[in-house]
Amino acid sequence: MSVLPLVFTSGWASGINAYAVVLLLGIFGATGVSDAVPESLQRPEVLITAGVLFLCEAVADKVPYVDSVWDSVHTVIRPAAGAWVGAVLAGHSGSLSDVTAGLVGGSTALASHTVKAGTRMAINTSPEPFSNVVMSLAEDLGVGGIVTFAMFHPGAAAVIAGTLLLSGLIVLVFLISRIRRFLRRRAQRREERRLAAQPGRPPDPSSW
């Protein structure tokens, strides 16, 4: 059976939370739930590292603005993780070339990461912090649920992941204008603070 559906699903999930994907796949392989997981993902040091980083992401991902900084740092990490997971899954299966699997996993992870990062930027335009927590929990549960489902029904899981990815890209298009307004306001505030810090600048009459 082709490993492509699992590669696609893990790539989509890696773009949202790469550490959760590595951790879940490793646990499923180590506990014998699935024989599709290579030993390189089951190694104790890999599981421990993924677990620690998952906990770090679980905290950072729920704090407004910190989540966007975290996403920026992971712009390279998540697609690279998706490509690596795809390649090792393909190498273990032998039904798909490593290069093809790496391209599928990496490109899918980049697309879902773009959706996540863009959506978080739009959410951060809201003054309340609760939406970040809700979105983060939904993402974590979604990744966990779909990766688990993919262990038993990879084809159906890939369809769900593809539908979510397409829906997310469509929503992101509608959020772009909101993100642009947010970035313009933030740039304006930075410029106002810079001007206010200049020595000898006359006071703003509006503050009288």
PDB file of all heavy atoms in Angstrom, residues 71-112:
ATOM      1  N   ASP A  71       5.789  31.344  15.501  1.00  0.00           N
ATOM      2  CA  ASP A  71       5.510  30.928  14.129  1.00  0.00           C
ATOM      3  C   ASP A  71       6.601  31.413  13.169  1.00  0.00           C
ATOM      4  O   ASP A  71       6.991  30.697  12.250  1.00  0.00           O
ATOM      5  CB  ASP A  71       4.148  31.476  13.673  1.00  0.00           C
ATOM      6  CG  ASP A  71       2.986  30.727  14.303  1.00  0.00           C
ATOM      7  OD1 ASP A  71       3.190  29.580  14.741  1.00  0.00           O
ATOM      8  OD2 ASP A  71       1.880  31.296  14.364  1.00  0.00           O
ATOM      9  N   SER A  72       7.073  32.641  13.380  1.00  0.00           N
ATOM     10  CA  SER A  72       8.126  33.175  12.507  1.00  0.00           C
ATOM     11  C   SER A  72       9.392  32.325  12.596  1.00  0.00           C
ATOM     12  O   SER A  72      10.013  32.014  11.583  1.00  0.00           O
ATOM     13  CB  SER A  72       8.447  34.631  12.896  1.00  0.00           C
ATOM     14  OG  SER A  72       7.315  35.456  12.726  1.00  0.00           O
ATOM     15  N   VAL A  73       9.747  31.948  13.812  1.00  0.00           N
ATOM     16  CA  VAL A  73      10.939  31.107  14.012  1.00  0.00           C
ATOM     17  C   VAL A  73      10.758  29.759  13.326  1.00  0.00           C
ATOM     18  O   VAL A  73      11.722  29.182  12.794  1.00  0.00           O
ATOM     19  CB  VAL A  73      11.199  30.921  15.520  1.00  0.00           C
ATOM     20  CG1 VAL A  73      12.318  29.908  15.749  1.00  0.00           C
ATOM     21  CG2 VAL A  73      11.538  32.252  16.171  1.00  0.00           C
ATOM     22  N   HIS A  74       9.524  29.255  13.292  1.00  0.00           N
ATOM     23  CA  HIS A  74       9.264  27.920  12.752  1.00  0.00           C
ATOM     24  C   HIS A  74       8.885  27.914  11.271  1.00  0.00           C
ATOM     25  O   HIS A  74       8.452  26.875  10.756  1.00  0.00           O
ATOM     26  CB  HIS A  74       8.169  27.234  13.566  1.00  0.00           C
ATOM     27  CG  HIS A  74       8.647  26.750  14.905  1.00  0.00           C
ATOM     28  ND1 HIS A  74       8.898  27.606  15.953  1.00  0.00           N
ATOM     29  CD2 HIS A  74       8.954  25.506  15.365  1.00  0.00           C
ATOM     30  CE1 HIS A  74       9.320  26.910  16.999  1.00  0.00           C
ATOM     31  NE2 HIS A  74       9.367  25.634  16.669  1.00  0.00           N
ATOM     32  N   THR A  75       9.065  29.043  10.610  1.00  0.00           N
ATOM     33  CA  THR A  75       8.777  29.097   9.176  1.00  0.00           C
ATOM     34  C   THR A  75       9.641  28.114   8.397  1.00  0.00           C
ATOM     35  O   THR A  75       9.220  27.553   7.378  1.00  0.00           O
ATOM     36  CB  THR A  75       8.982  30.522   8.640  1.00  0.00           C
ATOM     37  OG1 THR A  75       8.089  31.411   9.332  1.00  0.00           O
ATOM     38  CG2 THR A  75       8.695  30.601   7.151  1.00  0.00           C
ATOM     39  N   VAL A  76      10.843  27.892   8.857  1.00  0.00           N
ATOM     40  CA  VAL A  76      11.744  26.919   8.226  1.00  0.00           C
ATOM     41  C   VAL A  76      11.633  25.556   8.900  1.00  0.00           C
ATOM     42  O   VAL A  76      11.658  24.514   8.235  1.00  0.00           O
ATOM     43  CB  VAL A  76      13.202  27.419   8.280  1.00  0.00           C
ATOM     44  CG1 VAL A  76      14.156  26.355   7.736  1.00  0.00           C
ATOM     45  CG2 VAL A  76      13.350  28.710   7.484  1.00  0.00           C
ATOM     46  N   ILE A  77      11.470  25.557  10.222  1.00  0.00           N
ATOM     47  CA  ILE A  77      11.499  24.304  10.982  1.00  0.00           C
ATOM     48  C   ILE A  77      10.341  23.388  10.604  1.00  0.00           C
ATOM     49  O   ILE A  77      10.527  22.185  10.368  1.00  0.00           O
ATOM     50  CB  ILE A  77      11.474  24.593  12.493  1.00  0.00           C
ATOM     51  CG1 ILE A  77      12.742  25.352  12.895  1.00  0.00           C
ATOM     52  CG2 ILE A  77      11.342  23.293  13.289  1.00  0.00           C
ATOM     53  CD1 ILE A  77      12.760  25.788  14.346  1.00  0.00           C
ATOM     54  N   ARG A  78       9.128  23.923  10.520  1.00  0.00           N
ATOM     55  CA  ARG A  78       7.965  23.069  10.246  1.00  0.00           C
ATOM     56  C   ARG A  78       8.003  22.433   8.852  1.00  0.00           C
ATOM     57  O   ARG A  78       7.787  21.219   8.731  1.00  0.00           O
ATOM     58  CB  ARG A  78       6.679  23.870  10.459  1.00  0.00           C
ATOM     59  CG  ARG A  78       6.383  24.128  11.930  1.00  0.00           C
ATOM     60  CD  ARG A  78       5.244  25.098  12.124  1.00  0.00           C
ATOM     61  NE  ARG A  78       5.005  25.372  13.539  1.00  0.00           N
ATOM     62  CZ  ARG A  78       4.400  26.451  13.989  1.00  0.00           C
ATOM     63  NH1 ARG A  78       3.951  27.369  13.126  1.00  0.00           N
ATOM     64  NH2 ARG A  78       4.224  26.635  15.286  1.00  0.00           N
ATOM     65  N   PRO A  79       8.273  23.191   7.784  1.00  0.00           N
ATOM     66  CA  PRO A  79       8.394  22.539   6.475  1.00  0.00           C
ATOM     67  C   PRO A  79       9.537  21.528   6.428  1.00  0.00           C
ATOM     68  O   PRO A  79       9.403  20.471   5.802  1.00  0.00           O
ATOM     69  CB  PRO A  79       8.643  23.715   5.519  1.00  0.00           C
ATOM     70  CG  PRO A  79       8.029  24.890   6.196  1.00  0.00           C
ATOM     71  CD  PRO A  79       8.275  24.666   7.654  1.00  0.00           C
ATOM     72  N   ALA A  80      10.653  21.856   7.095  1.00  0.00           N
ATOM     73  CA  ALA A  80      11.774  20.915   7.121  1.00  0.00           C
ATOM     74  C   ALA A  80      11.387  19.633   7.850  1.00  0.00           C
ATOM     75  O   ALA A  80      11.739  18.527   7.424  1.00  0.00           O
ATOM     76  CB  ALA A  80      12.992  21.563   7.790  1.00  0.00           C
ATOM     77  N   ALA A  81      10.641  19.783   8.944  1.00  0.00           N
ATOM     78  CA  ALA A  81      10.184  18.603   9.685  1.00  0.00           C
ATOM     79  C   ALA A  81       9.218  17.782   8.846  1.00  0.00           C
ATOM     80  O   ALA A  81       9.283  16.545   8.834  1.00  0.00           O
ATOM     81  CB  ALA A  81       9.517  19.031  10.997  1.00  0.00           C
ATOM     82  N   GLY A  82       8.307  18.463   8.140  1.00  0.00           N
ATOM     83  CA  GLY A  82       7.377  17.741   7.278  1.00  0.00           C
ATOM     84  C   GLY A  82       8.088  16.975   6.187  1.00  0.00           C
ATOM     85  O   GLY A  82       7.719  15.835   5.865  1.00  0.00           O
ATOM     86  N   ALA A  83       9.127  17.585   5.621  1.00  0.00           N
ATOM     87  CA  ALA A  83       9.910  16.915   4.579  1.00  0.00           C
ATOM     88  C   ALA A  83      10.668  15.719   5.154  1.00  0.00           C
ATOM     89  O   ALA A  83      10.719  14.640   4.535  1.00  0.00           O
ATOM     90  CB  ALA A  83      10.884  17.904   3.937  1.00  0.00           C
ATOM     91  N   TRP A  84      11.256  15.899   6.335  1.00  0.00           N
ATOM     92  CA  TRP A  84      12.023  14.819   6.956  1.00  0.00           C
ATOM     93  C   TRP A  84      11.121  13.645   7.327  1.00  0.00           C
ATOM     94  O   TRP A  84      11.444  12.486   7.029  1.00  0.00           O
ATOM     95  CB  TRP A  84      12.735  15.339   8.202  1.00  0.00           C
ATOM     96  CG  TRP A  84      13.443  14.253   8.963  1.00  0.00           C
ATOM     97  CD1 TRP A  84      14.523  13.524   8.553  1.00  0.00           C
ATOM     98  CD2 TRP A  84      13.099  13.767  10.266  1.00  0.00           C
ATOM     99  NE1 TRP A  84      14.874  12.611   9.526  1.00  0.00           N
ATOM    100  CE2 TRP A  84      14.027  12.740  10.579  1.00  0.00           C
ATOM    101  CE3 TRP A  84      12.109  14.095  11.192  1.00  0.00           C
ATOM    102  CZ2 TRP A  84      13.978  12.052  11.790  1.00  0.00           C
ATOM    103  CZ3 TRP A  84      12.068  13.412  12.399  1.00  0.00           C
ATOM    104  CH2 TRP A  84      12.994  12.397  12.687  1.00  0.00           C
ATOM    105  N   VAL A  85       9.985  13.924   7.950  1.00  0.00           N
ATOM    106  CA  VAL A  85       9.059  12.853   8.323  1.00  0.00           C
ATOM    107  C   VAL A  85       8.573  12.115   7.081  1.00  0.00           C
ATOM    108  O   VAL A  85       8.515  10.876   7.047  1.00  0.00           O
ATOM    109  CB  VAL A  85       7.863  13.425   9.120  1.00  0.00           C
ATOM    110  CG1 VAL A  85       6.783  12.355   9.294  1.00  0.00           C
ATOM    111  CG2 VAL A  85       8.315  13.930  10.484  1.00  0.00           C
ATOM    112  N   GLY A  86       8.224  12.875   6.039  1.00  0.00           N
ATOM    113  CA  GLY A  86       7.783  12.242   4.796  1.00  0.00           C
ATOM    114  C   GLY A  86       8.847  11.345   4.198  1.00  0.00           C
ATOM    115  O   GLY A  86       8.554  10.233   3.731  1.00  0.00           O
ATOM    116  N   ALA A  87      10.095  11.808   4.216  1.00  0.00           N
ATOM    117  CA  ALA A  87      11.189  11.026   3.626  1.00  0.00           C
ATOM    118  C   ALA A  87      11.444   9.738   4.408  1.00  0.00           C
ATOM    119  O   ALA A  87      11.642   8.669   3.820  1.00  0.00           O
ATOM    120  CB  ALA A  87      12.466  11.877   3.572  1.00  0.00           C
ATOM    121  N   VAL A  88      11.415   9.820   5.751  1.00  0.00           N
ATOM    122  CA  VAL A  88      11.691   8.606   6.535  1.00  0.00           C
ATOM    123  C   VAL A  88      10.523   7.620   6.445  1.00  0.00           C
ATOM    124  O   VAL A  88      10.734   6.398   6.454  1.00  0.00           O
ATOM    125  CB  VAL A  88      12.017   8.941   8.010  1.00  0.00           C
ATOM    126  CG1 VAL A  88      13.294   9.756   8.105  1.00  0.00           C
ATOM    127  CG2 VAL A  88      10.860   9.658   8.696  1.00  0.00           C
ATOM    128  N   LEU A  89       9.302   8.137   6.344  1.00  0.00           N
ATOM    129  CA  LEU A  89       8.158   7.246   6.162  1.00  0.00           C
ATOM    130  C   LEU A  89       8.249   6.520   4.822  1.00  0.00           C
ATOM    131  O   LEU A  89       7.992   5.313   4.733  1.00  0.00           O
ATOM    132  CB  LEU A  89       6.849   8.041   6.229  1.00  0.00           C
ATOM    133  CG  LEU A  89       6.407   8.558   7.599  1.00  0.00           C
ATOM    134  CD1 LEU A  89       5.177   9.453   7.448  1.00  0.00           C
ATOM    135  CD2 LEU A  89       6.102   7.407   8.554  1.00  0.00           C
ATOM    136  N   ALA A  90       8.646   7.271   3.789  1.00  0.00           N
ATOM    137  CA  ALA A  90       8.780   6.657   2.465  1.00  0.00           C
ATOM    138  C   ALA A  90       9.925   5.658   2.437  1.00  0.00           C
ATOM    139  O   ALA A  90       9.821   4.584   1.828  1.00  0.00           O
ATOM    140  CB  ALA A  90       9.003   7.743   1.413  1.00  0.00           C
ATOM    141  N   GLY A  91      11.035   6.000   3.088  1.00  0.00           N
ATOM    142  CA  GLY A  91      12.170   5.089   3.129  1.00  0.00           C
ATOM    143  C   GLY A  91      11.838   3.795   3.836  1.00  0.00           C
ATOM    144  O   GLY A  91      12.311   2.723   3.447  1.00  0.00           O
ATOM    145  N   HIS A  92      11.013   3.875   4.865  1.00  0.00           N
ATOM    146  CA  HIS A  92      10.614   2.682   5.607  1.00  0.00           C
ATOM    147  C   HIS A  92       9.635   1.830   4.807  1.00  0.00           C
ATOM    148  O   HIS A  92       9.683   0.601   4.834  1.00  0.00           O
ATOM    149  CB  HIS A  92       9.972   3.099   6.935  1.00  0.00           C
ATOM    150  CG  HIS A  92       9.515   1.967   7.785  1.00  0.00           C
ATOM    151  ND1 HIS A  92      10.392   1.139   8.451  1.00  0.00           N
ATOM    152  CD2 HIS A  92       8.265   1.518   8.078  1.00  0.00           C
ATOM    153  CE1 HIS A  92       9.713   0.230   9.124  1.00  0.00           C
ATOM    154  NE2 HIS A  92       8.414   0.431   8.912  1.00  0.00           N
ATOM    155  N   SER A  93       8.750   2.508   4.072  1.00  0.00           N
ATOM    156  CA  SER A  93       7.725   1.795   3.304  1.00  0.00           C
ATOM    157  C   SER A  93       8.264   1.198   2.013  1.00  0.00           C
ATOM    158  O   SER A  93       7.919   0.086   1.632  1.00  0.00           O
ATOM    159  CB  SER A  93       6.573   2.757   3.002  1.00  0.00           C
ATOM    160  OG  SER A  93       5.866   2.404   1.888  1.00  0.00           O
ATOM    161  N   GLY A  94       9.105   1.968   1.328  1.00  0.00           N
ATOM    162  CA  GLY A  94       9.630   1.515   0.044  1.00  0.00           C
ATOM    163  C   GLY A  94       8.665   1.669  -1.109  1.00  0.00           C
ATOM    164  O   GLY A  94       8.970   1.284  -2.235  1.00  0.00           O
ATOM    165  N   SER A  95       7.463   2.243  -0.864  1.00  0.00           N
ATOM    166  CA  SER A  95       6.464   2.384  -1.924  1.00  0.00           C
ATOM    167  C   SER A  95       6.511   3.751  -2.597  1.00  0.00           C
ATOM    168  O   SER A  95       5.771   3.997  -3.539  1.00  0.00           O
ATOM    169  CB  SER A  95       5.059   2.158  -1.351  1.00  0.00           C
ATOM    170  OG  SER A  95       4.750   3.136  -0.378  1.00  0.00           O
ATOM    171  N   LEU A  96       7.386   4.638  -2.116  1.00  0.00           N
ATOM    172  CA  LEU A  96       7.480   6.004  -2.650  1.00  0.00           C
ATOM    173  C   LEU A  96       8.907   6.480  -2.487  1.00  0.00           C
ATOM    174  O   LEU A  96       9.564   6.168  -1.481  1.00  0.00           O
ATOM    175  CB  LEU A  96       6.514   6.928  -1.885  1.00  0.00           C
ATOM    176  CG  LEU A  96       6.358   8.361  -2.378  1.00  0.00           C
ATOM    177  CD1 LEU A  96       5.626   8.391  -3.721  1.00  0.00           C
ATOM    178  CD2 LEU A  96       5.568   9.181  -1.349  1.00  0.00           C
ATOM    179  N   SER A  97       9.411   7.228  -3.458  1.00  0.00           N
ATOM    180  CA  SER A  97      10.795   7.698  -3.363  1.00  0.00           C
ATOM    181  C   SER A  97      10.926   8.717  -2.237  1.00  0.00           C
ATOM    182  O   SER A  97       9.996   9.478  -1.955  1.00  0.00           O
ATOM    183  CB  SER A  97      11.231   8.318  -4.688  1.00  0.00           C
ATOM    184  OG  SER A  97      10.670   9.599  -4.867  1.00  0.00           O
ATOM    185  N   ASP A  98      12.114   8.752  -1.610  1.00  0.00           N
ATOM    186  CA  ASP A  98      12.363   9.684  -0.514  1.00  0.00           C
ATOM    187  C   ASP A  98      12.210  11.125  -0.970  1.00  0.00           C
ATOM    188  O   ASP A  98      11.663  11.965  -0.248  1.00  0.00           O
ATOM    189  CB  ASP A  98      13.771   9.471   0.044  1.00  0.00           C
ATOM    190  CG  ASP A  98      13.946   8.091   0.649  1.00  0.00           C
ATOM    191  OD1 ASP A  98      12.991   7.293   0.599  1.00  0.00           O
ATOM    192  OD2 ASP A  98      15.042   7.810   1.161  1.00  0.00           O
ATOM    193  N   VAL A  99      12.706  11.423  -2.171  1.00  0.00           N
ATOM    194  CA  VAL A  99      12.655  12.794  -2.678  1.00  0.00           C
ATOM    195  C   VAL A  99      11.219  13.247  -2.879  1.00  0.00           C
ATOM    196  O   VAL A  99      10.826  14.345  -2.469  1.00  0.00           O
ATOM    197  CB  VAL A  99      13.452  12.913  -3.997  1.00  0.00           C
ATOM    198  CG1 VAL A  99      13.286  14.307  -4.600  1.00  0.00           C
ATOM    199  CG2 VAL A  99      14.923  12.602  -3.767  1.00  0.00           C
ATOM    200  N   THR A 100      10.419  12.399  -3.503  1.00  0.00           N
ATOM    201  CA  THR A 100       9.014  12.743  -3.729  1.00  0.00           C
ATOM    202  C   THR A 100       8.280  12.944  -2.407  1.00  0.00           C
ATOM    203  O   THR A 100       7.527  13.914  -2.231  1.00  0.00           O
ATOM    204  CB  THR A 100       8.316  11.643  -4.543  1.00  0.00           C
ATOM    205  OG1 THR A 100       8.979  11.480  -5.791  1.00  0.00           O
ATOM    206  CG2 THR A 100       6.858  11.994  -4.790  1.00  0.00           C
ATOM    207  N   ALA A 101       8.502  12.034  -1.473  1.00  0.00           N
ATOM    208  CA  ALA A 101       7.847  12.143  -0.174  1.00  0.00           C
ATOM    209  C   ALA A 101       8.294  13.398   0.562  1.00  0.00           C
ATOM    210  O   ALA A 101       7.482  14.078   1.200  1.00  0.00           O
ATOM    211  CB  ALA A 101       8.148  10.910   0.670  1.00  0.00           C
ATOM    212  N   GLY A 102       9.573  13.717   0.465  1.00  0.00           N
ATOM    213  CA  GLY A 102      10.079  14.926   1.109  1.00  0.00           C
ATOM    214  C   GLY A 102       9.451  16.178   0.526  1.00  0.00           C
ATOM    215  O   GLY A 102       9.097  17.112   1.251  1.00  0.00           O
ATOM    216  N   LEU A 103       9.298  16.201  -0.797  1.00  0.00           N
ATOM    217  CA  LEU A 103       8.672  17.359  -1.448  1.00  0.00           C
ATOM    218  C   LEU A 103       7.206  17.485  -1.051  1.00  0.00           C
ATOM    219  O   LEU A 103       6.713  18.580  -0.771  1.00  0.00           O
ATOM    220  CB  LEU A 103       8.792  17.240  -2.964  1.00  0.00           C
ATOM    221  CG  LEU A 103      10.201  17.436  -3.547  1.00  0.00           C
ATOM    222  CD1 LEU A 103      10.202  17.129  -5.042  1.00  0.00           C
ATOM    223  CD2 LEU A 103      10.682  18.859  -3.305  1.00  0.00           C
ATOM    224  N   VAL A 104       6.497  16.360  -1.021  1.00  0.00           N
ATOM    225  CA  VAL A 104       5.077  16.387  -0.638  1.00  0.00           C
ATOM    226  C   VAL A 104       4.923  16.833   0.812  1.00  0.00           C
ATOM    227  O   VAL A 104       4.125  17.733   1.133  1.00  0.00           O
ATOM    228  CB  VAL A 104       4.428  15.009  -0.848  1.00  0.00           C
ATOM    229  CG1 VAL A 104       3.020  14.982  -0.251  1.00  0.00           C
ATOM    230  CG2 VAL A 104       4.376  14.655  -2.326  1.00  0.00           C
ATOM    231  N   GLY A 105       5.686  16.206   1.700  1.00  0.00           N
ATOM    232  CA  GLY A 105       5.580  16.549   3.118  1.00  0.00           C
ATOM    233  C   GLY A 105       5.994  17.977   3.403  1.00  0.00           C
ATOM    234  O   GLY A 105       5.326  18.692   4.154  1.00  0.00           O
ATOM    235  N   GLY A 106       7.091  18.419   2.786  1.00  0.00           N
ATOM    236  CA  GLY A 106       7.587  19.769   3.037  1.00  0.00           C
ATOM    237  C   GLY A 106       6.664  20.844   2.486  1.00  0.00           C
ATOM    238  O   GLY A 106       6.392  21.847   3.156  1.00  0.00           O
ATOM    239  N   SER A 107       6.178  20.658   1.259  1.00  0.00           N
ATOM    240  CA  SER A 107       5.312  21.669   0.647  1.00  0.00           C
ATOM    241  C   SER A 107       3.960  21.742   1.361  1.00  0.00           C
ATOM    242  O   SER A 107       3.403  22.828   1.562  1.00  0.00           O
ATOM    243  CB  SER A 107       5.111  21.371  -0.839  1.00  0.00           C
ATOM    244  OG  SER A 107       4.534  20.089  -1.032  1.00  0.00           O
ATOM    245  N   THR A 108       3.435  20.581   1.764  1.00  0.00           N
ATOM    246  CA  THR A 108       2.170  20.568   2.503  1.00  0.00           C
ATOM    247  C   THR A 108       2.333  21.233   3.862  1.00  0.00           C
ATOM    248  O   THR A 108       1.461  21.998   4.312  1.00  0.00           O
ATOM    249  CB  THR A 108       1.668  19.131   2.688  1.00  0.00           C
ATOM    250  OG1 THR A 108       1.614  18.476   1.417  1.00  0.00           O
ATOM    251  CG2 THR A 108       0.286  19.122   3.309  1.00  0.00           C
ATOM    252  N   ALA A 109       3.454  20.969   4.527  1.00  0.00           N
ATOM    253  CA  ALA A 109       3.723  21.598   5.819  1.00  0.00           C
ATOM    254  C   ALA A 109       3.865  23.112   5.664  1.00  0.00           C
ATOM    255  O   ALA A 109       3.377  23.878   6.500  1.00  0.00           O
ATOM    256  CB  ALA A 109       4.990  21.010   6.445  1.00  0.00           C
ATOM    257  N   LEU A 110       4.526  23.564   4.590  1.00  0.00           N
ATOM    258  CA  LEU A 110       4.679  25.000   4.362  1.00  0.00           C
ATOM    259  C   LEU A 110       3.323  25.660   4.156  1.00  0.00           C
ATOM    260  O   LEU A 110       3.055  26.752   4.678  1.00  0.00           O
ATOM    261  CB  LEU A 110       5.578  25.239   3.151  1.00  0.00           C
ATOM    262  CG  LEU A 110       5.794  26.709   2.757  1.00  0.00           C
ATOM    263  CD1 LEU A 110       6.429  27.488   3.896  1.00  0.00           C
ATOM    264  CD2 LEU A 110       6.651  26.798   1.498  1.00  0.00           C
ATOM    265  N   ALA A 111       2.446  24.990   3.396  1.00  0.00           N
ATOM    266  CA  ALA A 111       1.118  25.557   3.143  1.00  0.00           C
ATOM    267  C   ALA A 111       0.303  25.652   4.431  1.00  0.00           C
ATOM    268  O   ALA A 111      -0.316  26.691   4.713  1.00  0.00           O
ATOM    269  CB  ALA A 111       0.380  24.699   2.111  1.00  0.00           C
ATOM    270  N   SER A 112       0.287  24.597   5.235  1.00  0.00           N
ATOM    271  CA  SER A 112      -0.499  24.636   6.471  1.00  0.00           C
ATOM    272  C   SER A 112       0.125  25.585   7.490  1.00  0.00           C
ATOM    273  O   SER A 112      -0.591  26.238   8.266  1.00  0.00           O
ATOM    274  CB  SER A 112      -0.643  23.230   7.062  1.00  0.00           C
ATOM    275  OG  SER A 112       0.609  22.660   7.373  1.00  0.00           O
TER     276      SER A 112
END
